[in-house]
Structure formats: C-alpha cells, structure tokens
Amino acid sequence: MADSGSAPARSRGNLPPLQLHVPEPRFRPGDQVDYSHIVVPPAGAQTRPDETCDPIETKPLCVDLIRVLDDEHRAVGPWDPKLDPETLRRMLRSMALTRAFDDRLYRSQRQGKTSFYMKSTGEEAISIATAFALDREDMVFPSYRQQGILIARGYPLVEMVNQIYSNRADKLKGRQLPVMYSARDYGFFTISGNLATQYPQAVGWAMASAIKGDTRIATAFVGEGSSAEGDFHAAMTFAAVYNAPVVLNIVNNQWAISSFSGFAGAERATFAARAEGYGIAGLRVDGNDILAVYAAMQWAADRARANGGPTLIEHFTYRAEGHSTSDDPSAYRSVQEREEWPLGDPITRLMRHLIALGEWSEDQHAAMDREVAEEVKAATKQAEKNGILGHGMHHPFHTMFEDVFEELPWHLEEQADQAIRERRTKFPDWKPEVPESRS
Amino acid sequence: MIEEEPVSLADAPARALNMIEAINEALDITMARDPDVVILGEDVGYFGGVFRATAGLQKKYGKHRVFDSPINECGIVGAAVGMAAYGLRPVPEIQFADYIYPGLDQLVSEAARMRYRSAGEFTASMTIRSPFGGGIFGGQTHSQSPEALFTHVAGLKTVIPSTPHDAKGLLIAAIEDNDPVIFFEPKRIYNGPFDGYYDNPSKTWKAHPGGQVPEGYYKIPLGKARVVREGSAMTVLAYGTMIHVAEAVLAQKGVDAEIIDLRTLVPLDIETVQASVEKTGKCLVIHEATRTSGFGAELSALVQERCFYHLEAPVERVTGFDTPYPHSLEWAYFPGPVRIGEAVDRLLKD
C-alpha cells in the first residue's frame, strides 16, 4: 500500500496555515456607523437598455444602483417612469397606510392581542411600487414582508387583522401564524414559513401561464438571507431554461434576523450579479426610491410579457426595525445604522419629491398620516369584534381537521371526534359549533 | 368506456401489458382527457424516460405538455407546485425514489399543506411518479423504499400498485385526485411479477392475471385495498413487489392465508384490514423498507389497537433490515422467502 503510485509527499513546511473566513458586520452595538463604503451613485446616471435586450447588456446595472430621485428631490434620468402626481399621491398613501398598519399591529402584539407580528418599516417602497407596476392579475409569490402589496391592491385591512388575530372571521381559520396571508383573488399567493420555497413555485406558475398561452406573469420575493437557499438556485435555473415570464426579487435589507448580508455572500458580489451566471437579466435598484423600484419592476414585467424572459432585481434597502416581534436588533447591530442609512426613508423621499413638484405639502402629509392611522384603528376595532387570539372566538373546532385533504379520511374523522370529546371533558357544557361548510 | 370498479372490468377488452406500458397508457389517457395534465422530469421528454414510462408522449402531445427538466428535484417539485397553483395538473417524475429528498421540502412543507394553510384557496393537485424498491442490484441509491417518510406527512396520499392492471387504474385515479399523490412504482416488477426466488428465470406479465389490462379509461379508487386471495389462517398485509413474494411463499407452504394488497397506504383501507384480521386472528406485515418506524409499524399498531381481542398471536413484521440497501448482499437484505417463511411458521405455531 505504501508504494501506491501516488505522488511523493512534499514538504508543507513553507505553506501558511489555511484560515476560515467568517464574515463580520462592520458595526456591532455601540459602534460608530460609517457608511462610506456604500457607493451611492448619482440619480439618473444609469443607462436604461431596451426591455428586450440580451441579458448580458444588463451586466453594468447589476453592480450599479438604479436611482431616479436626486438630492433635490427631482425625478431624473432615463429610468424616470414619469408618473402623474395623482398616482404618486396614491403610492405615498399606500406606503403611509402600510407603515401605520405595521405600527398599530406591532402594538397589538405587545398588548397580547396576537402572538406575533413582522413589520416592513423602511421597505414599503418595494411592495407598493410592485403593486402599482404590475397588473392585478399577475400573481405575486411574496415572502412575509410584502404586506404592502396586499394593502396597495386594496385587500381589506380588517381581513388582514382577522388573520393576525386568528379570530372567527379569519379566512385562514386560525391555522396560520400571523402575517402568513393568502389572498388568491388579490393575486397574493399563500405565504409559507419555509424560506424561498415560493421562488420555484413562482417560476412554475409562470411556466404554466406560458404553457396555456396566457398573458399573465408571476413575481416572487425573497430576502437576501434566503437567497442562499437551494430553492433560489432551482428557481433561477428553471426560469432561465424555460424563459419563464417571471420577475424574481431579492430584497436586500442587509439583515437576516441577526446575520448580516455577508452570510448570504454580499462581501463578494452584489445579489443582482447572480443573474449573469444564469443568463438572466439583472437590475440593482435603490429600494428606498419608489420611482426607481417602479421603473425596474415595469421594465422587468414588460420584458416578461414580451417573452423576453425572467429578470432578477436586487432591491437595496435597510430593515429599519427588528426582524419580528420576537427579535431585539439592539443585541447585534448598532442603533445608529438606521438613522445613518445613506438611502434615507422611502416615504420621506417621495413626500419631498411631491412637495418639490408643488403637488403636496407638509400639512397635507400630516393630515394623511392622521387619516391612515384612523383607518387602521377602525379596522382593528372592527376585527376585534370577531375576537383576538386566545379569547375563544375562533373557528369551529372541526375546521382544524378540514382541508388537510379535499375529503376527510376516516383517521381524521376519528381524530376530530377525539378532539371534540376532549373538549367536552374539559368544558362539560360545551357544544360543538357547527361549521358553515358542514351544516 | 368509463368503468369505476375493477371487478366490472372483467368483460372489458383486455390484453397483456407490462407495468411500464400500463403506466404509459394511463398517462396517455389522462393527457388526452384533460389538457391541463402536463409531465415534467429528467429525461421524460424526447427520450421517453429512463424506464420508458413516458415514451411517445412528447411526440403526441408536444413539448408544452411533456418536457425534460434540469437535474434538480427541488425545482421539479417546486415548479409543479406552482403549476398546480395556477390550475394545471402536473405529473412530475422523480427518476428514482432515492432522489426525491432534494424535493422533500417542497413536498412536505408546500404541496402537502397548500390546501390547509390557504383554507382551500390554493391546492396542489399533482401526482409525483417515482420508481422505488429493490431487487435489481441497484445498491444504496437505486433501491430505497421511502414510503414511510410520506405516509407520515399530513396532506399527502401515498399509492403503490402491484400489477399493470392496478398501476393503470390507480395512476388515472391519482392524477384526477385533487390532493397531492406520491405514486411509487415498484421497478422490480415493471416487466414481470417477482416471487423472491431470484435464481429462477424472470417471468413476464403475460401469464399473470394482473397483467391483463383493460383498454380505455378506468379508475381504481384510492383508499381501497384489494384482497389478492381469501383465506383463514392469517392476514398478510403488503404492497408492491412484496405481494408477489408473499403469494409464492404462502402457496409453497400451503398456508390458507388472506393476502391483502393495500394499494393506497394513506388513506388506508382500514375496514378491509380490520375485517380480515378479525376473521383470521393473525397478522403478518411485509415490506421492503427498513424496519424501524417503517409503515409496518403503523400497520402493526393499528391492527393491535383495533383487533386486540381477536389476535391469537403477536403481529409479525417482515421487512428490510435497518441498514442502507447493500449491493453485493442484496439477497441477504431483501425480505425474501426464508424471512417470510420463518414469520409464517411463528404465526402458525401460536
């Protein structure tokens, strides 16, 4: 065995020891934040290729940052979507409503009305621009932080709160963790807790649309953290192979719970740059510039609709709040990060743009903020009439066993009987509610 | 011609097909009936599949309905889930059951729960076909029987045929079912029944009654077992290849056993199982899959719970050993005639 024909062992004495690189964010709690390493190119400086271009033509845009709103709050450059002021005001209101909704439902969780909530503060532009740039019939495969799409598409706030409270009016019958909405009629695919699974599903949906000769497209969202999942690679490969009419989005908000974007590979390349290796068009966009996001989404949607194929968009933004109500970001990042973030706040930036256009005022803005807060408050009050989590006003008991399959098999019938028996033992006066579907 | 029950098919024109031909015919028929049925998987398109199950279908139905996929099981299943959400009825193929694991998250977390978590807004009406089981010198990664991983998942149906006749009827029923179905095809018996006597010349389906496949459209309902032979000495619960091994062993030993082909593992035909064990008082469970936490454990527990006072002996389990599937020692691993014979003897002694 000694003389197996392999090369003779050579001296390794001069080789340096190998070192494992474990990424470390620049700032930890207490650190002074200095964002000078983030390159923020001037607005309007990015070229806009034709929507049907070869994917390789988008390569420069994968490392640049598409921006429309400049430092004087003007919309400039070839990516300016030239939206009318009324549309801009509607977008502003949708963003404000989303933020007001987040703020109130966050408090509801703290008040014990529900178990869990996730805000999207600072990322509203991405959701709202998506809803405005796509057709209502286009299917969105969201992650858990695109509630703004539902809000912008006019989904009733009270239905959202019912879901968050898991009450007896919850359309998902109290089965799902709060914020895991499903709204087929609003083109909003059922949210899963398993990260990135919606990515290949969106591609499959888009493939189906192409198989049937439809004109609808799909779009999917992941955070930069979950772009590390294998499903991301599966989706990109399938999207490229079948030229699927899909827009794949990475919301790069710098943080995946406590892990900074370096753990998803951000130290080596932008997330948009992943597009090139798959032969997919890629765009990197200022995620806090709603006009830039709108323009990028519209470009990608037009490309998909023209059978130009898929686009990957990286939305460069910042997760301004904790990951969820179960998270305390001050344990792993500097509190200064949010205030120093070089791309500002998406609502403030659109507000200043509208004011600069002479189409809005600080007073109107303050009035709008009061209005949306009232609207959210009214929705929560109405939803509370249907119950809050753990206060007994839930869906009929038997519904727990329904929809596992189309029909209840014998073993679920038996288990449903058992659950009802247990309930009677615990509460002797209790009578099983008859679900509407079975009455 | 629409026949619902296999018994009523006695008069239907039939001819001998092997299991691959029967599966191919089931796919052809459902594709002709429903324009939303699409097939995707590795090598299933132009080539017609490594086992020929999809031969000729791309030519007949076009590349939009039968197409090759990248080698990515997560993508195959994930894309199929998205297609089903759109409203298609995809029939993805996983080339070997041993390679279904990269698609497991999509199956367990997504397809199985789609209806439940969306309260019926979205469904995953899809049938995942995959060759499974050993007996072909397939070694560790071409022989596995992972059915227990799927029977454990709420929201999935698991179906395993044992004859060409059943394969066609069950596959048509699975594709038309509105729930996600895992359809495992015992590849050892694609070309003929296998009785476990591996030194004997291989048989074809021509001489076997299960190889007589009616023409046209028929369904075998999911959730209904088949009584392969009636008997009184003991109840044998099995599926797939092991049906034929059990039949041969019990015939050779001259035991008047009642052999039940479960056909669908979830939802299980508990009535047929229970009635049989209450009649015979003894139960033998056979599967190729490894023993610990295998589907046999569930069967054994159900029989014990429901037939306890009728049992005259402990429920016996004959299974593969708790090892990865070996290559050279395949026939020492496979639950063949000797292992089954020993269990039968133990049951008869009690």
Side-chain angles (χ1 to χ4, degrees):
Chain A
M1 289 301 284
D3 295 331
S4 61
S6 60
R10 79 191 154 100
S11 168
R12 304 176 66 83
N14 290 335
L15 293 174
L18 294 169
Q19 290 182 322
L20 182 73
H21 172 67
V22 180
E24 183 63 30
R26 285 168 190 262
F27 323 113
R28 286 298 194 185
D31 287 349
Q32 282 293 312
V33 170
D34 174 7
Y35 276 131
S36 55
H37 65 286
I38 295 182
V39 179
V40 181
Q46 300 75 39
T47 57
R48 186 185 185 283
D50 188 81
E51 285 91 339
T52 56
C53 72
D54 191 289
I56 201 71
E57 288 184 47
T58 63
K59 188 176 177 180
L61 293 167
C62 292
V63 290
D64 205 330
L65 199 61
I66 296 169
R67 303 180 73 229
V68 171
L69 290 170
D70 71 7
D71 294 343
E72 276 78 50
H73 318 300
R74 295 171 306 197
V76 295
W79 287 92
D80 176 10
K82 302 195 190 307
L83 298 174
D84 62 85
E86 179 52 31
T87 302
L88 295 177
R89 280 190 293 264
R90 281 170 46 226
M91 289 166 90
L92 183 69
R93 187 186 166 88
S94 287
M95 282 201 286
L97 185 56
T98 302
R99 185 165 297 181
F101 187 85
D102 280 351
D103 286 344
R104 186 159 188 103
L105 272 296
Y106 181 91
R107 287 205 304 279
S108 289
Q109 191 277 338
R110 290 294 189 250
Q111 292 162 355
K113 292 173 182 172
T114 188
S115 62
F116 183 75
Y117 192 72
M118 302 178 98
K119 299 173 106 175
S120 64
T121 310
E123 303 172 33
E124 295 91 346
I126 300 159
S127 293
I128 304 306
T130 297
F132 274 76
L134 296 182
D135 285 347
R136 180 63 186 272
E137 287 71 31
D138 296 330
M139 184 63 79
V140 178
F141 289 74
S143 78
Y144 44 69
R145 226 184 286 281
Q146 280 78 47
Q147 53 263 52
I149 294 175
L150 265 186
I151 288 172
R153 283 187 168 177
Y155 190 69
L157 297 184
V158 65
E159 298 289 10
M160 293 175 76
V161 185
N162 286 335
Q163 196 280 327
I164 289 160
Y165 289 172
S166 279
N167 61 28
R168 69 178 174 194
D170 172 14
K171 286 191 181 304
L172 305 184
K173 305 184 180 182
R175 292 172 183 157
Q176 270 279 46
L177 193 68
V179 313
M180 304 286 179
Y181 310 105
S182 177
R184 187 187 178 99
D185 292 345
Y186 291 78
F188 195 89
F189 188 70
T190 161
I191 296 173
S192 171
N194 295 63
L195 296 174
T197 51
Q198 69 277 8
Y199 239 49
Q201 292 164 5
V203 174
W205 196 98
M207 288 167 66
S209 186
I211 286 169
K212 299 304 272 185
D214 197 346
T215 58
R216 293 178 291 166
I217 65 169
T219 189
F221 288 84
V222 289
E224 91 286 350
S226 30
S227 75
E229 293 280 5
D231 292 62
F232 175 83
H233 169 66
M236 293 292 281
T237 303
F238 275 62
V241 166
Y242 300 108
N243 203 43
V246 64
V247 184
L248 297 167
N249 300 278
I250 300 176
V251 179
N252 176 8
N253 67 13
Q254 316 302 321
W255 290 95
I257 308 185
S258 76
S259 302
F260 87 114
S261 57
F263 283 98
E267 289 181 337
R268 306 294 175 118
T270 68
F271 291 96
R274 282 133 177 80
E276 186 195 349
Y278 294 95
I280 288 177
L283 305 174
R284 187 163 178 267
V285 59
D286 176 349
N288 290 14
D289 176 345
I290 195 165
L291 296 182
V293 177
Y294 180 97
M297 188 65 68
Q298 187 184 46
W299 186 94
D302 286 348
R303 179 178 177 84
R305 273 188 245 284
N307 279 310
T311 303
L312 179 73
I313 305 178
E314 174 187 352
H315 304 267
F316 194 70
T317 184
Y318 186 77
R319 194 194 78 207
E321 296 271 358
H323 166 70
S324 73
T325 48
S326 307
D327 180 42
D328 173 13
S330 70
Y332 51 79
R333 69 184 190 185
S334 172
V335 290
Q336 261 197 321
E337 284 193 18
R338 178 179 180 174
E339 46 203 83
E340 299 283 328
W341 181 245
L343 298 174
D345 177 85
I347 296 180
T348 308
R349 285 173 70 186
L350 180 57
M351 175 191 78
R352 292 200 174 131
H353 173 55
L354 270 165
I355 290 172
L357 288 175
E359 293 287 349
W360 196 241
S361 69
E362 303 250 347
D363 287 346
Q364 279 175 293
H365 196 84
M368 177 192 71
D369 275 344
R370 283 192 298 274
E371 265 177 47
V372 293
E374 280 305 314
E375 191 177 337
V376 174
K377 186 178 174 186
T380 53
K381 294 279 175 209
Q382 196 185 331
E384 279 175 30
K385 290 179 191 162
N386 303 315
I388 57 175
L389 183 68
H391 285 241
M393 288 167 75
H394 48 67
H395 268 267
F397 219 64
H398 195 274
T399 57
M400 176 165 73
F401 299 93
E402 293 166 8
D403 296 327
V404 177
F405 297 100
E406 187 175 35
E407 313 273 348
L408 254 67
W410 63 270
H411 62 283
L412 284 179
E413 287 285 10
E414 284 190 1
Q415 289 166 33
D417 289 346
Q418 176 187 349
I420 286 169
R421 199 168 60 243
E422 288 171 4
R423 195 87 180 151
R424 274 209 194 90
T425 304
K426 196 172 174 187
F427 306 105
D429 297 332
W430 179 79
K431 289 187 178 59
E433 319 89 331
V434 180
E436 285 164 32
S437 58
R438 289 168 57 85
S439 58
Chain B
M1 186 187 74
I2 296 177
E3 302 281 354
E4 294 299 331
E5 291 297 326
V7 285
S8 66
L9 289 167
D11 302 327
R15 69 280 187 242
L17 296 183
N18 68 31
M19 193 180 280
I20 283 290
E21 292 165 333
I23 287 163
N24 184 269
E25 196 164 275
L27 294 170
D28 191 357
I29 287 170
T30 50
M31 293 197 81
R33 288 169 63 94
D34 183 351
D36 289 335
V37 173
V38 296
I39 292 172
L40 70 157
E42 297 156 17
D43 306 298
V44 303
Y46 182 86
F47 179 56
V50 295
F51 290 105
R52 319 303 304 148
T54 54
L57 296 177
Q58 187 181 70
K59 196 171 183 194
K60 187 167 178 182
Y61 295 100
K63 288 199 288 188
H64 274 67
R65 300 209 35 214
V66 183
F67 49 90
D68 292 309
S69 77
I71 301 174
N72 186 318
E73 289 76 14
C74 162
I76 293 169
V77 181
V81 170
M83 291 176 182
Y86 178 94
L88 299 187
R89 203 168 274 276
V91 188
E93 177 184 297
I94 303 296
Q95 203 162 78
F96 287 87
D98 315 61
Y99 303 135
I100 204 166
Y101 309 124
L104 212 56
D105 188 34
Q106 286 287 346
L107 284 170
V108 174
S109 309
E110 302 295 319
R113 300 191 189 150
M114 195 65 51
R115 182 190 297 278
Y116 191 75
R117 77 167 195 237
S118 70
E121 279 195 340
F122 297 93
T123 56
S125 307
M126 56 194 274
T127 300
I128 295 97
R129 289 182 43 248
S130 190
F132 97 128
I136 58 152
F137 278 107
Q140 293 187 24
T141 55
H142 299 79
S143 307
Q144 294 168 35
S145 299
E147 65 270 21
L149 293 177
F150 300 94
T151 57
H152 189 57
V153 177
L156 294 180
K157 292 178 176 172
T158 303
V159 176
I160 299 171
S162 69
T163 66
H165 172 278
D166 280 11
K168 180 178 169 183
L170 285 169
L171 182 53
I172 292 174
I175 295 171
E176 292 188 355
D177 195 277
N178 290 328
D179 292 313
V181 180
I182 310 292
F183 193 86
F184 280 137
E185 301 164 2
K187 58 185 169 300
R188 183 61 182 82
I189 57 173
Y190 267 158
N191 293 313
F194 174 62
D195 60 11
Y197 294 90
Y198 53 91
D199 287 335
N200 290 348
S202 53
K203 301 187 185 81
T204 68
W205 282 109
K206 281 204 171 73
H208 193 282
Q212 289 295 309
V213 179
E215 290 174 8
Y217 173 89
Y218 67 94
K219 285 202 281 189
I220 294 174
L222 305 188
K224 293 281 181 234
R226 173 172 71 100
V227 179
V228 178
R229 91 180 280 284
E230 292 188 3
S232 57
M234 65 182 66
T235 296
V236 178
L237 303 178
Y239 45 89
T241 303
M242 301 316 295
I243 290 295
H244 306 282
V245 182
E247 263 192 286
V249 173
L250 290 155
Q252 198 194 32
K253 293 179 82 77
V255 178
D256 181 31
E258 181 147 300
I259 301 176
I260 295 174
D261 179 358
L262 297 173
R263 296 202 290 202
T264 304
L265 306 191
V266 174
L268 184 71
D269 184 353
I270 193 67
E271 285 179 17
T272 300
V273 170
Q274 193 171 340
S276 178
V277 177
E278 285 178 0
K279 180 177 77 175
T280 64
K282 294 177 179 179
C283 182
L284 168 61
V285 175
I286 307 175
H287 60 60
E288 270 183 78
T290 49
R291 185 180 185 86
T292 301
S293 303
F295 191 65
E298 181 65 28
L299 290 170
S300 176
L302 283 168
V303 167
Q304 185 271 137
E305 286 163 8
R306 303 171 92 90
C307 312
F308 185 77
Y309 294 104
H310 293 85
L311 285 175
E312 296 160 15
V315 177
E316 283 280 349
R317 270 191 291 164
V318 173
T319 69
F321 293 127
D322 283 336
T323 69
Y325 205 107
H327 185 243
S328 66
L329 295 178
E330 167 144 64
W331 299 116
Y333 171 93
F334 190 87
V338 173
R339 200 175 309 155
I340 295 172
E342 278 186 4
V344 170
D345 292 344
R346 280 194 300 273
L347 278 172
L348 291 175
K349 212 183 293 174
D350 279 311

